Short mmCIF file of all heavy atoms in Angstrom, two decimals:
data_model
loop_
_atom_site.label_atom_id
_atom_site.label_comp_id
_atom_site.label_asym_id
_atom_site.label_seq_id
_atom_site.Cartn_x
_atom_site.Cartn_y
_atom_site.Cartn_z
N VAL L 1 -3.34 -3.39 4.02
CA VAL L 1 -2.79 -3.53 2.61
C VAL L 1 -3.11 -4.92 2.05
O VAL L 1 -3.46 -5.01 0.87
CB VAL L 1 -1.26 -3.30 2.61
CG1 VAL L 1 -0.69 -3.47 1.26
CG2 VAL L 1 -0.88 -1.88 3.11
N THR L 2 -3.00 -5.91 2.88
CA THR L 2 -3.32 -7.29 2.42
C THR L 2 -4.76 -7.41 2.00
O THR L 2 -5.14 -8.01 0.95
CB THR L 2 -2.95 -8.33 3.49
OG1 THR L 2 -1.57 -8.15 3.80
CG2 THR L 2 -3.21 -9.75 2.96
N ALA L 3 -5.66 -6.81 2.82
CA ALA L 3 -7.11 -6.85 2.56
C ALA L 3 -7.41 -6.11 1.28
O ALA L 3 -8.29 -6.55 0.49
CB ALA L 3 -7.87 -6.23 3.71
N ALA L 4 -6.69 -4.97 1.02
CA ALA L 4 -6.91 -4.25 -0.23
C ALA L 4 -6.55 -5.02 -1.44
O ALA L 4 -7.25 -5.04 -2.50
CB ALA L 4 -6.21 -2.91 -0.18
N VAL L 5 -5.41 -5.73 -1.37
CA VAL L 5 -4.96 -6.61 -2.51
C VAL L 5 -5.95 -7.74 -2.77
O VAL L 5 -6.29 -8.03 -3.90
CB VAL L 5 -3.55 -7.09 -2.26
CG1 VAL L 5 -3.15 -8.07 -3.37
CG2 VAL L 5 -2.57 -5.93 -2.15
N ASP L 6 -6.40 -8.34 -1.68
CA ASP L 6 -7.37 -9.46 -1.83
C ASP L 6 -8.65 -8.97 -2.39
O ASP L 6 -9.39 -9.73 -3.07
CB ASP L 6 -7.54 -10.14 -0.46
CG ASP L 6 -6.26 -10.84 0.08
OD1 ASP L 6 -5.41 -11.10 -0.81
OD2 ASP L 6 -6.15 -11.08 1.28
N GLU L 7 -9.06 -7.76 -2.04
CA GLU L 7 -10.34 -7.23 -2.52
C GLU L 7 -10.41 -7.11 -4.02
O GLU L 7 -11.47 -7.23 -4.66
CB GLU L 7 -10.54 -5.90 -1.85
CG GLU L 7 -11.91 -5.28 -2.17
CD GLU L 7 -12.13 -3.95 -1.50
OE1 GLU L 7 -11.37 -3.61 -0.54
OE2 GLU L 7 -12.97 -3.13 -1.96
N LEU L 8 -9.22 -6.97 -4.66
CA LEU L 8 -9.21 -6.78 -6.12
C LEU L 8 -9.35 -8.12 -6.83
O LEU L 8 -9.57 -8.22 -8.13
CB LEU L 8 -7.90 -6.17 -6.56
CG LEU L 8 -7.79 -4.69 -6.18
CD1 LEU L 8 -6.37 -4.18 -6.38
CD2 LEU L 8 -8.70 -3.85 -7.03
N THR L 9 -9.32 -9.19 -6.15
CA THR L 9 -9.52 -10.57 -6.69
C THR L 9 -8.70 -10.80 -7.97
O THR L 9 -9.24 -11.29 -8.98
CB THR L 9 -10.97 -10.81 -6.94
OG1 THR L 9 -11.48 -9.83 -7.87
CG2 THR L 9 -11.77 -10.72 -5.66
N GLY L 10 -7.48 -10.30 -7.99
CA GLY L 10 -6.61 -10.66 -9.09
C GLY L 10 -6.78 -9.73 -10.28
O GLY L 10 -6.17 -9.99 -11.32
N SER L 11 -7.59 -8.68 -10.30
CA SER L 11 -7.78 -7.82 -11.45
C SER L 11 -8.16 -6.44 -10.99
O SER L 11 -9.11 -6.29 -10.22
CB SER L 11 -8.78 -8.41 -12.40
OG SER L 11 -9.00 -7.48 -13.50
N GLY L 12 -7.43 -5.42 -11.46
CA GLY L 12 -7.74 -4.05 -11.08
C GLY L 12 -6.49 -3.27 -10.71
O GLY L 12 -5.37 -3.66 -11.06
N VAL L 13 -6.75 -2.14 -10.01
CA VAL L 13 -5.59 -1.22 -9.77
C VAL L 13 -5.70 -0.96 -8.20
O VAL L 13 -6.72 -0.63 -7.66
CB VAL L 13 -5.73 0.10 -10.50
CG1 VAL L 13 -4.66 1.08 -10.09
CG2 VAL L 13 -5.76 -0.14 -11.99
N LEU L 14 -4.52 -1.02 -7.58
CA LEU L 14 -4.33 -0.67 -6.23
C LEU L 14 -3.59 0.65 -6.20
O LEU L 14 -2.48 0.76 -6.73
CB LEU L 14 -3.49 -1.67 -5.46
CG LEU L 14 -3.10 -1.28 -3.99
CD1 LEU L 14 -4.36 -1.15 -3.13
CD2 LEU L 14 -2.14 -2.29 -3.42
N MET L 15 -4.21 1.72 -5.65
CA MET L 15 -3.56 3.05 -5.66
C MET L 15 -3.33 3.49 -4.18
O MET L 15 -4.23 3.45 -3.38
CB MET L 15 -4.44 4.10 -6.37
CG MET L 15 -3.75 5.45 -6.42
SD MET L 15 -4.46 6.62 -7.63
CE MET L 15 -6.03 7.00 -6.86
N ILE L 16 -2.09 3.82 -3.89
CA ILE L 16 -1.68 4.32 -2.59
C ILE L 16 -1.30 5.77 -2.69
O ILE L 16 -0.31 6.09 -3.33
CB ILE L 16 -0.54 3.47 -1.98
CG1 ILE L 16 -0.92 2.00 -1.99
CG2 ILE L 16 -0.19 3.96 -0.64
CD1 ILE L 16 0.25 1.09 -1.59
N THR L 17 -2.03 6.66 -2.10
CA THR L 17 -1.73 8.12 -2.15
C THR L 17 -0.82 8.47 -0.95
O THR L 17 -0.89 7.87 0.10
CB THR L 17 -3.01 8.94 -2.05
OG1 THR L 17 -3.69 8.65 -0.87
CG2 THR L 17 -3.97 8.66 -3.26
N ASP L 18 0.02 9.41 -1.22
CA ASP L 18 1.01 9.88 -0.17
C ASP L 18 1.76 8.67 0.41
O ASP L 18 1.74 8.45 1.63
CB ASP L 18 0.34 10.70 0.89
CG ASP L 18 -0.27 11.96 0.33
OD1 ASP L 18 0.41 12.63 -0.48
OD2 ASP L 18 -1.35 12.32 0.68
N VAL L 19 2.37 7.87 -0.43
CA VAL L 19 2.95 6.62 0.02
C VAL L 19 4.11 6.84 0.95
O VAL L 19 4.49 5.94 1.71
CB VAL L 19 3.40 5.80 -1.21
CG1 VAL L 19 4.60 6.48 -1.89
CG2 VAL L 19 3.73 4.34 -0.86
N ASP L 20 4.71 8.06 1.00
CA ASP L 20 5.83 8.34 1.93
C ASP L 20 5.43 8.22 3.36
O ASP L 20 6.21 7.96 4.21
CB ASP L 20 6.39 9.75 1.65
CG ASP L 20 5.31 10.79 1.62
OD1 ASP L 20 4.57 10.94 0.67
OD2 ASP L 20 5.23 11.56 2.62
N ALA L 21 4.16 8.43 3.67
CA ALA L 21 3.65 8.21 4.99
C ALA L 21 3.54 6.84 5.46
O ALA L 21 3.65 6.46 6.63
CB ALA L 21 2.26 8.99 5.20
N LEU L 22 3.28 5.94 4.47
CA LEU L 22 3.18 4.48 4.72
C LEU L 22 4.51 3.82 4.70
O LEU L 22 4.80 2.96 5.48
CB LEU L 22 2.17 3.86 3.69
CG LEU L 22 2.02 2.33 3.78
CD1 LEU L 22 1.48 1.89 5.10
CD2 LEU L 22 1.22 1.88 2.62
N LEU L 23 5.37 4.22 3.78
CA LEU L 23 6.76 3.65 3.57
C LEU L 23 7.72 4.79 3.71
O LEU L 23 8.26 5.28 2.68
CB LEU L 23 6.83 2.96 2.26
CG LEU L 23 5.86 1.74 2.03
CD1 LEU L 23 5.92 1.31 0.63
CD2 LEU L 23 6.27 0.64 3.01
N PRO L 24 8.01 5.24 4.92
CA PRO L 24 9.05 6.30 5.06
C PRO L 24 10.45 5.93 4.71
O PRO L 24 10.78 4.76 4.62
CB PRO L 24 8.94 6.73 6.55
CG PRO L 24 8.42 5.48 7.21
CD PRO L 24 7.56 4.82 6.20
N SER L 25 11.29 6.95 4.44
CA SER L 25 12.65 6.64 4.08
C SER L 25 13.50 5.96 5.19
O SER L 25 14.40 5.25 4.87
CB SER L 25 13.39 7.92 3.58
OG SER L 25 13.31 8.84 4.61
N ASP L 26 13.10 6.19 6.45
CA ASP L 26 13.76 5.51 7.54
C ASP L 26 13.06 4.17 7.67
O ASP L 26 11.90 4.09 8.13
CB ASP L 26 13.59 6.31 8.86
CG ASP L 26 14.35 7.65 8.82
OD1 ASP L 26 15.40 7.69 8.13
OD2 ASP L 26 13.90 8.60 9.48
N PRO L 27 13.75 3.07 7.31
CA PRO L 27 13.10 1.78 7.26
C PRO L 27 12.49 1.31 8.62
O PRO L 27 13.09 1.56 9.66
CB PRO L 27 14.22 0.83 6.81
CG PRO L 27 15.29 1.72 6.27
CD PRO L 27 15.17 3.01 6.90
N GLU L 28 11.27 0.83 8.65
CA GLU L 28 10.66 0.27 9.77
C GLU L 28 10.40 -1.25 9.49
O GLU L 28 10.30 -1.68 8.37
CB GLU L 28 9.31 0.93 10.03
CG GLU L 28 9.42 2.41 10.26
CD GLU L 28 8.10 3.11 10.44
OE1 GLU L 28 7.03 2.37 10.32
OE2 GLU L 28 8.01 4.28 10.65
N PRO L 29 10.33 -2.07 10.62
CA PRO L 29 10.14 -3.48 10.38
C PRO L 29 8.87 -3.78 9.59
O PRO L 29 8.87 -4.66 8.71
CB PRO L 29 10.05 -4.05 11.79
CG PRO L 29 10.88 -3.09 12.63
CD PRO L 29 10.65 -1.72 11.98
#
């Protein structure tokens, strides 16, 4: 995720599809 944000170099759109698989409702560290 950090690499994807840095790749945009401060301009553009970050799109995460099916975000529930990356950030589930049961919190993880």
Side-chain angles (χ1 to χ4, degrees):
V1 177
T2 304
V5 174
D6 294 340
E7 184 181 340
L8 290 169
T9 62
S11 177
V13 178
L14 173 65
M15 182 162 72
I16 305 176
T17 59
D18 297 320
V19 71
D20 52 284
L22 176 61
L23 297 169
S25 56
D26 294 331
E28 299 178 359

